[in-house]
């Protein structure tokens, strides 16, 4: 019986000690990110990274000076967007892992596409790269509209607006590149 009393006393002291050390920490508030924000970030970050990787191949593989120039400008824009996209992804607490690895989706430059680009040179490379970058830029516009319409986080919606504007601009530039 004395063991039970002693045990109860220890529990009471521990619990009492916890209660007297100060207020309990506040429960974390609701996240400002909804499923649309999360899905958009999980898709657009790897899409943008892969498209940038493809564009970076142009200096060594492209035949056309115009393609090399457009790809260099495209890669620079994508790099600037990636900094902001990754920061938003990190702010949302999402992992850096690409949850879409191996998926074939509109506008996504896949690992297989990158392998094909690395082995291609000249006019064939130019055609393949331009087709991939054009599809990427067009899909960015579509995805950005979805985030702007249905996203919950104001900063992510603003980022989507900027991503969509860049996608529209890149679409125009790439349409004039032959």
């Amino acid at each position: 019986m004395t063991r039970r009393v002693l045990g109860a006393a220890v529990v009471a002291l521990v619990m009492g000690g916890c209660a007297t050390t100060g207020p309990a920490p506040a429960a974390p508030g609701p996240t400002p990110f909804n499923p649309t924000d999360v899905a958009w970030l999980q898709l657009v970050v790897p899409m943008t990274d892969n498209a940038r990787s493809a564009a970076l191949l142009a200096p060594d593989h492209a035949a056309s000076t115009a393609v090399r120039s457009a790809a260099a400008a495209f890669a620079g824009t994508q790099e600037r967007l990636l900094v902001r996209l990754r920061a938003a992804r990190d702010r949302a607490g999402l992992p850096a892992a690409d949850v879409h690895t191996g998926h074939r989706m509109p506008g996504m430059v896949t690992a297989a596409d990158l392998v094909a680009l690395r082995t291609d040179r000249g006019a064939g490379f130019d055609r393949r790269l331009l087709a991939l970058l054009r599809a990427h830029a067009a899909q960015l516009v579509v995805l950005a509209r979805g985030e702007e319409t249905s996203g919950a986080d104001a900063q992510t919606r603003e980022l989507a607006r900027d991503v969509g504007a860049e996608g529209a601009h890149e679409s125009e530039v790439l349409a004039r590149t032959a």
Side-chain angles (χ1 to χ4, degrees):
M1 187 67 139
T2 58
R3 281 188 132 167
R4 281 191 218 175
V5 171
L6 182 58
V10 169
V11 169
L13 286 171
V14 169
M15 294 301 287
C18 289
T20 60
T21 60
T31 177
F33 297 92
N34 71 5
T36 300
D37 298 317
V38 169
W40 185 76
L41 289 166
Q42 287 179 323
L43 179 57
V44 174
V45 172
M47 274 184 67
T48 303
D49 193 26
N50 290 359
R52 180 192 55 87
S53 295
L56 290 173
L57 296 171
D60 296 328
H61 296 261
S64 165
T65 304
V67 170
R68 283 193 298 274
S69 177
F74 182 93
T77 298
Q78 299 308 294
E79 185 60 42
R80 288 186 297 281
L81 288 175
L82 269 172
V83 169
R84 295 177 62 200
L85 287 163
R86 288 176 178 147
R89 179 197 62 205
D90 295 347
R91 192 171 53 81
L94 299 172
D98 177 2
V99 300
H100 297 287
T101 297
H103 298 174
R104 184 73 187 167
M105 297 175 287
M108 176 70 82
V109 176
T110 65
D113 292 328
L114 289 170
V115 168
L117 285 170
R118 286 185 188 107
T119 60
D120 209 352
R121 296 235 186 301
F125 173 88
D126 292 359
R127 281 189 299 278
R128 184 185 308 253
L129 178 66
L130 287 175
L132 289 168
L133 298 184
R134 287 172 181 150
H136 170 77
Q139 190 63 15
L140 280 183
V141 173
V142 171
L143 295 171
R145 281 189 201 129
E147 169 59 22
E148 286 181 81
T149 302
S150 301
D153 180 63
Q155 290 178 2
T156 305
R157 286 192 323 268
E158 181 180 331
L159 176 56
R161 189 171 38 258
D162 294 346
V163 167
E166 286 297 338
H169 173 74
E170 290 298 332
S171 289
E172 292 172 10
V173 170
L174 292 167
R176 294 188 307 261
T177 305

